[in-house]
Amino acid sequence: MPNRYFLTTPIYYVNDRPHLGTAYTMIVADALARWHRLMGEEVLFLTGLDEHGLKIARSAEEHGVSPKEWVDQASTWFIRAWADLGITEDDFIRTTDERHLESVAKFVQAIYDNGFIYKGDYAGWYCVSCENYYVESDLLEGGLCPVHETPVEWLKEENYFFALSKFQDRLTEWYERNPSAVIPESRRNEALGLIRQGLGDFSISRTSFDWGIPVPWDDRHVFYVWFEALMNYTSAIGYGIDEERFESWWPVAHHLIGKDIVKFHCVWWPAMCMAAGIEPPAGIAAHGFLLVGGKKMGKSQANHVDPVELANDVGLDPLRYHILRDITLGLDGDFTYEGLIERYNADLANNLGNLLQRVATLVSQKCGGVGPRPGGTTQMRAAVEAEIPAIIAEWAATRPNAALTRTWSLIGAANAALELAEPWKLEPGDEVDAVLGDALEVLRIVAVLASPAIPSSAADIWRRIGLSGQPDAPGAAGPSGVLAWGGYPGGVTVERSTPLFPRRKLEELAE
Ligand SMILES: [Zn+2]
């Protein structure tokens, strides 16, 4: 049976439109999903929306519609944006889905039955935008939310609590037994720090509003939005509803998250899983923020960038490539048009685009437009065979930027080999055929390896060098896939055409 790879993104809060920050998460997740499909694994790539809470109820009211009407409308922004960005999610869950409501009821009942939920009084400073309580010492001067810098409200209510404090030792043990469960290490250390500080129980229900999932044993309460939203990861795979399906995907779950939600995913969620009697997820990878001119992206900021408009402007593959190649997962990245154009010209126009253009021109001039078979005893073959295992390892370790750097080193090797052999100075014959065949083979292999980052350009390269099918066929990079040297068949027509990646100048981009 093939390996299974269950990949999730955070579910986005529908009050915020998709922005470049959320698009960043989606592009990284999409590339990972595409890579694991290439490896022949069975992939389930899940994303979705977080649709409950006071903030949503208030937005709906402001717009004169019901909360459900509001979230139905807002959900279309996300569904469309991800389609426009070429995201290949397998499932899209909304926390208002019937399947989520049913599964959450089972999950919380298990926690309740195991004795980790109790009733108590709660009072505190509440930020409606965060849907979160703060203690006095968390607040900024003047009593402002530390995230939103807006006033918080004093709320007092009878709540159910989750007994997080009982999981301090078990969480510590889990981290010790699973040293790579949370990456990068800085986030693992942050989570461990929170656990060592001492864990307090937290409130999981509200009575002050009703836009949420009712507590099964007390319907005056609805669940706190974070508590039930995390359960989307298990409700999507049938927890409590379809046990066979659930067990086939859990706990091989990989959660891709932003560094701002480490506490929820790396402390609360593993404890909630333990409390319900299931294993915590296999892996959590926290990425940094994508900044624009050094500022975190958000709806309220002037530098809000619509990712679909940006992709239309600069090209979807160049945008995806820039994000995947230039940001180290876990560190913050800074988005600038200058950076994007620089990367585009260096890697896509000059390196990859030049190789393709050069080879297509030479095949037309020296080989009658018919691509020769690879020779196979050259430095190009050596480079490919040395790099492929390393590229596979980088993707497996969730390091797309390193995988792409190595992939581009193959293009560099092919360009260098052409410079050395100078086939443009040679008469048609075996020597020319050997070097061009090898370069075509490198292009074929690079099309497969680069397809998670630049899917439509990879397909275009594939077609231009005369291959049928697609470079991203499932299993193409797997053990019996097409990465072995010598796969380019030869005897096929190579298209001589306009440059795939024409050089670009910053000034040409529409404002
Ligand atoms: Zn806030």
Side-chain angles (χ1 to χ4, degrees):
M1 215 174 71
N3 272 340
R4 284 173 179 252
Y5 184 75
F6 176 29
L7 174 69
T8 72
T9 71
I11 52 173
Y12 305 109
Y13 204 51
V14 285
N15 247 32
D16 205 0
R17 286 196 178 244
H19 53 68
L20 196 53
T22 39
Y24 167 47
T25 314
M26 292 305 283
I27 288 170
V28 173
D30 183 63
L32 290 169
R34 287 175 186 266
W35 175 263
H36 285 269
R37 291 187 196 115
L38 266 186
M39 292 299 291
E41 293 172 37
E42 201 172 329
V43 171
L44 176 59
F45 170 17
L46 172 72
T47 188
L49 295 174
D50 183 0
E51 301 189 340
H52 290 125
L54 183 56
K55 192 162 113 179
I56 298 212
R58 285 190 183 167
S59 286
E61 207 176 292
E62 279 164 28
H63 289 82
V65 294
S66 73
K68 184 67 169 93
E69 286 170 321
W70 176 245
V71 297
D72 282 348
Q73 192 207 338
S75 68
T76 63
W77 308 333
F78 288 85
I79 291 166
R80 257 188 240 137
W82 304 154
D84 289 346
L85 294 175
I87 306 299
T88 58
E89 76 272 11
D90 299 300
D91 194 2
F92 191 98
I93 191 165
R94 299 174 54 191
T95 57
T96 53
D97 285 350
E98 194 56 42
R99 57 176 172 159
H100 182 66
L101 310 186
E102 274 179 51
S103 182
V104 164
K106 296 283 172 66
F107 199 106
V108 296
Q109 192 69 49
I111 300 178
Y112 188 67
D113 293 346
N114 290 336
F116 298 112
I117 290 176
Y118 64 92
K119 204 183 216 176
D121 275 326
Y122 196 90
W125 294 108
Y126 192 78
C127 171
V128 174
S129 295
C130 295
E131 304 278 7
N132 203 1
Y133 278 105
Y134 288 99
V135 294
E136 194 86 41
S137 60
D138 290 335
L139 300 177
L140 303 177
E141 223 176 281
L144 303 180
C145 164
V147 177
H148 292 91
E149 304 179 19
T150 50
V152 292
E153 300 171 27
W154 182 258
L155 286 188
K156 183 168 189 289
E157 46 186 341
E158 185 183 65
N159 279 180
Y160 287 97
F161 284 79
F162 174 60
L164 183 65
S165 58
K166 293 193 177 163
F167 292 89
Q168 182 139 354
D169 293 343
R170 286 180 64 186
L171 283 170
T172 310
E173 280 163 27
W174 181 70
Y175 271 92
E176 277 164 8
R177 276 201 317 274
N178 299 282
S180 56
V182 172
I183 57 169
E185 207 176 347
S186 56
R187 298 300 154 212
R188 172 189 158 81
N189 291 339
E190 180 187 338
L192 270 170
L194 290 170
I195 294 163
R196 286 185 188 129
Q197 267 172 34
L199 297 173
D201 299 347
F202 65 89
S203 152
I204 58 166
S205 75
R206 304 285 182 263
T207 52
S208 51
F209 59 94
D210 63 0
W211 181 239
I213 299 183
V215 172
W217 56 87
D218 185 348
D219 62 11
R220 292 173 303 122
H221 292 253
V222 294
F223 281 111
Y224 168 47
V225 65
W226 260 113
F227 192 63
E228 52 105 342
L230 287 164
M231 296 173 199
N232 88 87
Y233 303 132
T234 47
S235 52
I237 52 172
Y239 174 89
I241 308 294
D242 181 346
E243 282 307 315
E244 201 181 325
R245 178 154 192 265
F246 176 72
E247 272 160 29
S248 71
W249 289 108
W250 195 266
V252 294
H254 299 267
H255 301 316
L256 180 68
I257 64 166
K259 68 177 185 182
D260 51 338
I261 49 180
V262 162
K263 179 181 82 176
F264 303 109
H265 283 84
C266 306
V267 181
W268 288 14
W269 178 232
M272 287 161 61
C273 291
M274 291 170 183
I278 62 171
E279 283 289 309
I284 303 167
H287 64 68
F289 292 142
L290 182 55
L291 312 169
V292 173
K295 281 210 149 188
K296 188 194 167 193
M297 203 108 34
K299 186 186 168 196
S300 56
Q301 257 133 22
N303 55 23
H304 174 75
V305 176
D306 180 318
V308 174
E309 274 172 31
L310 182 61
N312 290 340
D313 196 10
V314 302
L316 178 54
D317 280 2
L319 175 63
R320 290 175 61 108
Y321 182 74
H322 173 50
I323 281 179
L324 290 162
R325 170 64 182 77
D326 283 316
I327 304 174
T328 302
L329 201 90
L331 302 181
D332 289 347
D334 206 358
F335 177 83
T336 61
Y337 281 92
E338 290 83 350
L340 186 147
I341 292 293
E342 203 175 302
R343 179 57 69 190
Y344 172 91
N345 282 333
D347 284 18
L348 298 178
N350 288 357
N351 265 322
L352 179 55
N354 260 358
L355 178 63
L356 177 67
Q357 200 64 12
R358 227 174 188 184
V359 169
T361 304
L362 285 165
V363 168
S364 159
Q365 289 168 348
K366 307 280 180 181
C367 314
V370 176
R373 217 179 259 285
T377 51
T378 65
Q379 68 202 84
M380 284 191 252
R381 177 176 185 164
V384 164
E385 289 180 347
E387 284 297 336
I388 284 176
I391 291 166
I392 290 172
E394 299 291 9
W395 280 108
T398 322
R399 286 194 290 260
N401 65 326
L404 293 171
T405 305
R406 288 182 180 277
T407 301
W408 256 253
S409 77
L410 302 179
I411 300 165
N415 275 323
L418 286 175
E419 293 291 340
L420 198 70
E422 300 186 305
W424 44 89
K425 289 186 179 168
L426 303 174
E427 291 302 315
D430 289 350
E431 210 182 326
V432 171
D433 286 356
V435 71
L436 291 180
D438 284 353
L440 283 160
E441 177 63 344
V442 170
L443 282 167
R444 184 187 72 87
I445 287 171
V446 164
V448 175
L449 294 171
S451 66
I454 51 168
S456 64
S457 307
D460 208 349
I461 294 167
W462 195 259
R463 186 186 54 76
R464 286 183 186 214
I465 63 174
L467 298 171
S468 59
Q470 292 288 331
D472 57 356
S480 56
V482 298
L483 288 185
W485 184 267
Y488 187 72
V492 292
T493 304
V494 173
E495 184 183 310
R496 189 180 174 185
S497 182
T498 52
L500 183 55
F501 302 106
R503 280 189 65 84
R504 301 179 74 171
K505 292 195 184 90
L506 190 59
E507 308 83 84
E508 292 163 3
L509 291 177
E511 275 305 302

